[in-house]
Amino acid sequence: MEIELFSAEELRRTLNRLTSQVVEATPHLADLCLLGIHTRGVPLAQRLAHNIHQWETVQVPVGALDITFYRDDLDRIGARTPAPTQVPFDITGRVVVLVDDVIYSGRTVRAALEAIKDHGRPQVVRLAVLIDRGHRELPIHPDFTGKVVPTSREEAVRVCLAETDHRDRIILAKKTG
């Protein structure tokens, strides 16, 4: 069973709210860079950068992180095909905002923090997520949250984006199996 939590318009408004949070918390936007976590964090980071450019006329560099080999739970989630990590700029001394679609256990973010170390030493690392669904297993909390959606462990939140899924929406689904 699936329930649409957000329509395309609601997702757009939530991204605008997330963009506002990032802009308000970053006094020097020239120091900012965004690193999207594959898969859906990458287009979300690109959309945030686009919004910032439209609103503030600042070009924010965007990179893509694949965290497959940094995960500590591959035995539980199954094998994954790595996507390319692309960080074509120096992150040393910068304000890095990690971007992901959904935060759940915190293990993806932990892996991303490990991956960042291979690319430099940022001034600060912040976390922006579209959806916080709770159930953390690690002491990790987003700095910027689009929406908090309380869920049970038997439910899954699926973010669908035009770039990856041909349509913008967010779905709540019962886990199967």
Side-chain angles (χ1 to χ4, degrees), residues 24-104:
E24 289 172 12
T26 312
H28 303 288
L29 290 173
D31 297 336
L32 179 65
C33 63
L34 304 174
L35 293 179
I37 301 172
H38 276 294
T39 296
R40 287 166 187 81
V42 175
L44 288 172
Q46 291 165 341
R47 290 185 190 192
L48 288 171
H50 175 77
N51 285 353
I52 292 168
H53 180 67
Q54 293 293 313
W55 300 356
E56 303 292 328
T57 64
V58 174
Q59 289 280 45
V60 176
V62 178
L65 272 184
D66 179 83
I67 50 93
T68 301
F69 298 119
Y70 298 90
R71 295 197 68 109
D72 65 357
D73 58 353
L74 280 176
D75 59 330
R76 188 172 58 84
I77 64 169
R80 304 265 168 115
T81 302
T85 288
Q86 298 170 321
V87 185
F89 47 87
D90 188 9
I91 65 169
T92 300
R94 307 224 30 195
V95 175
V96 172
V97 176
L98 278 174
V99 181
D100 206 6
D101 57 346
V102 178
I103 187 168
Y104 178 49

Side-chain angles (χ1 to χ4, degrees), residues 18 37 40-41 44 71 98-113 126-153 155-159 170:
L18 203 54
I37 301 172
R40 287 166 187 81
L44 288 172
R71 295 197 68 109
L98 278 174
V99 181
D100 206 6
D101 57 346
V102 178
I103 187 168
Y104 178 49
S105 67
R107 293 188 181 279
T108 297
V109 175
R110 188 218 48 86
L113 291 169
R126 304 214 189 285
L127 175 61
V129 298
L130 189 62
I131 302 293
D132 182 348
R133 60 168 293 202
H135 305 286
R136 222 71 84 239
E137 296 172 4
L138 299 170
I140 292 174
H141 185 78
D143 299 282
F144 314 112
T145 304
K147 196 80 162 179
V148 175
V149 177
T151 63
S152 74
R153 291 188 184 273
E155 295 171 318
V157 174
R158 276 197 357 249
V159 173
I170 301 175

Side-chain angles (χ1 to χ4, degrees), residues 150-168:
T151 63
S152 74
R153 291 188 184 273
E154 291 74 42
E155 295 171 318
V157 174
R158 276 197 357 249
V159 173
C160 301
L161 300 175
E163 296 90 335
T164 54
D165 310 290
H166 312 295
R167 180 178 174 191
D168 282 350

